[in-house]
Amino acid sequence: MSNEVQLKVKDKFVSKYKAGFPQINKEAILNLDVLKDEGTIVSLVDEKNNFLGKGYYGRQNKGFGWILTQKETESIDQQFFVNKLRAAFDQRHAFYKDKDTTAFRVFNGEGDGIGGLTIEYYDGYYVINWYSHGIYCFKDLIIQSLTNLVDFKAIYEKKRFDVGGKYVEDDDFVSGERGQFPIIIKENGVNFAVYLNEGPMTGIFLDQRQVRKTIRDKYAKGKTVLNTFSYTGAFSVYAALGGAKETTSVDLANRSLPKTVEQFQANGIDENDHVIRVMDVFNYFKYAIKKNLSFDMVILDPPSFARSKKHTFSAAKDYVKLLEETIAITADKGIIVASTNSSGFGMDKFKGFIEKAFKNTNGQYKIIDTFSLPDDFKTIKQYKEGNYLKVVFIKKIK
Ligand code: SAH
């Protein structure tokens, strides 16, 4: 961690880094071969050795690490991490005070100045996500900083990098007093059972908070709702609370059934009034066509990439087709909530997919609401890829 190395930035990328681009990218660096151990502190310089920034080496998707400071004299030490975390927590003051929402993101990677690290808060519990072995090398400093700054019930961690073997479940406890899971958190006054020590997912994706609220408050009343890729059924719960006539949740993971029942029950909703199906969404579409089903609202929230027994789904390649199949089972004047968390394309391209799908099916539509990440998922303008969430509410005209 201490042997610092110098990375030379190609001329053509210098202005980008000067403007604050935070990621170390292969195509920008002349001498990537000097990188040996993840966690090494690196200095970026231009071809004339002028300082551009300082950060760490850590492999994360296509990136080779993150720049942490553009100040040459700033050290990456305990004080550095305390300052970054404190600034981030201060900005979430309103979230900490809100009694109706007790789970949110308190630190959002490069948006808060440290790429590769996110921290979420679940009613007194903190969950740290480490996205590379490189950032994990700073674990002691970061956990010490967190411990200095806040009171907590316990800290848990998720290692989202290759740990050389299988993900070890039930082993994410770091410090404090172990929780009894599920704990019930609140979001917009809705209850959620969450598990902080059961693999990489907790039961709720916090970035969809505003979308869920919008479904409940503006669109659900009296509607039949199909929730695809439903996981724990979070959208179904909100739709039910908003007065939906019936919800149907479809996910191919076996766990989704008991998890969805649990979330309904956590909110006093009788799960027997709703349909929960463990099946491939693409098979469900065929089934729905055969049975002549149509829905007033269809929610699409697929993963960026997924492989099932029969299908490989890639948001970038297959979203148009997913929309076409959805349009076929959406009632006229019905609403499609199209969501993607793919960082591979932006809102304009996503709207292009929608345009194409309606064109291919000779349909007409109107966009009635759009969302990207909420404020606690802070992003910076220098790194557009960080603002990955795109949600479009589409009204089918015919
Ligand atoms: N919409 C959810 C989050 C979706 S996570 C929420 O609001 O919480 C993605 C989910 O897609 C996972 O639960 C996974 O099991 C499911 N999935 C992936 N491929 C699928 C497919 N072909 N058919 C049905 N579900 C699928």
Side-chain angles (χ1 to χ4, degrees), residues 52-297:
L52 295 170
K54 200 189 304 189
Y56 71 90
Y57 168 41
R59 302 288 296 267
Q60 182 183 339
N61 304 326
K62 287 185 189 132
F64 281 74
W66 297 92
I67 292 154
L68 302 176
T69 178
Q70 290 181 281
K71 293 189 203 124
E72 193 165 5
T73 53
E74 190 168 28
S75 312
I76 310 303
D77 54 12
Q78 181 83 69
Q79 197 55 48
F80 173 85
F81 288 110
V82 167
N83 290 345
K84 290 286 180 218
L85 263 57
R86 181 189 289 125
F89 298 168
D90 285 351
Q91 283 174 24
R92 274 76 172 182
H93 190 64
F95 283 93
Y96 277 106
K97 276 184 29 191
D98 184 349
K99 298 242 180 324
D100 283 337
T101 296
T102 60
F104 47 94
R105 187 164 281 199
V106 290
F107 196 92
N108 195 41
E110 73 288 344
D112 284 300
I114 307 175
L117 170 76
T118 67
I119 309 176
E120 290 181 339
Y121 175 86
Y122 294 87
D123 195 23
Y125 293 89
Y126 285 82
V127 178
I128 305 178
N129 290 292
W130 311 103
Y131 283 90
S132 69
H133 184 70
I135 190 66
Y136 192 66
C137 293
F138 298 93
K139 174 176 172 171
D140 291 348
L141 289 176
I142 291 169
I143 286 178
Q144 189 58 54
S145 306
L146 181 60
T147 307
N148 290 353
L149 287 167
V150 290
D151 294 326
F152 54 80
K153 293 173 183 160
I155 300 173
Y156 285 82
E157 67 178 355
K158 310 286 174 198
K159 295 187 202 118
R160 298 182 184 274
F161 52 93
D162 189 358
V163 286
K166 244 180 103 78
Y167 190 95
V168 187
E169 281 204 10
D170 209 25
D171 198 20
D172 291 338
F173 175 74
V174 177
S175 73
E177 193 163 323
R178 280 177 182 272
Q180 292 286 330
F181 300 113
I183 54 164
I184 305 293
I185 62 96
K186 271 197 190 301
E187 185 201 74
N188 302 311
V190 178
N191 294 329
F192 273 95
V194 302
Y195 296 79
L196 305 183
N197 205 10
E198 232 188 44
M201 304 203 281
T202 62
I204 182 166
F205 289 100
L206 300 175
D207 53 1
Q208 297 274 15
R209 179 188 312 119
Q210 297 167 319
V211 179
R212 286 189 279 266
K213 183 174 183 338
T214 302
I215 287 172
R216 180 190 64 186
D217 297 351
K218 268 172 91 172
Y219 297 114
K221 203 170 170 79
K223 304 278 173 64
T224 54
V225 178
L226 173 64
N227 179 12
T228 63
F229 307 93
S230 56
Y231 181 41
T232 60
F235 288 120
S236 308
V237 169
Y238 268 70
L241 292 172
K245 202 191 289 170
E246 184 183 87
T247 72
T248 301
S249 306
V250 182
D251 194 296
L252 59 71
N254 287 324
R255 61 165 188 237
S256 65
L257 175 61
K259 293 259 178 211
T260 302
V261 170
E262 181 178 41
Q263 304 302 11
F264 276 132
Q265 289 179 352
N267 290 284
I269 302 163
D270 186 347
E271 72 272 14
N272 297 309
D273 294 340
H274 298 270
V275 180
I276 305 168
R277 287 191 175 270
V278 174
M279 74 189 281
D280 192 311
V281 162
F282 297 97
N283 291 338
Y284 185 82
F285 285 137
K286 290 196 193 98
Y287 164 85
I289 293 277
K290 210 163 69 193
K291 297 273 172 190
N292 250 321
L293 301 181
S294 96
F295 296 88
D296 302 322
M297 183 190 288

Side-chain angles (χ1 to χ4, degrees), residues 27-56:
E27 71 269 17
I29 308 295
L30 285 161
N31 59 335
L32 265 189
D33 55 308
V34 298
L35 294 173
K36 297 282 182 287
D37 299 320
E38 289 204 27
T40 302
I41 297 281
V42 297
S43 281
L44 270 66
V45 295
D46 67 13
E47 292 187 43
K48 296 192 197 73
N49 281 332
N50 296 307
F51 176 84
L52 295 170
K54 200 189 304 189
Y56 71 90

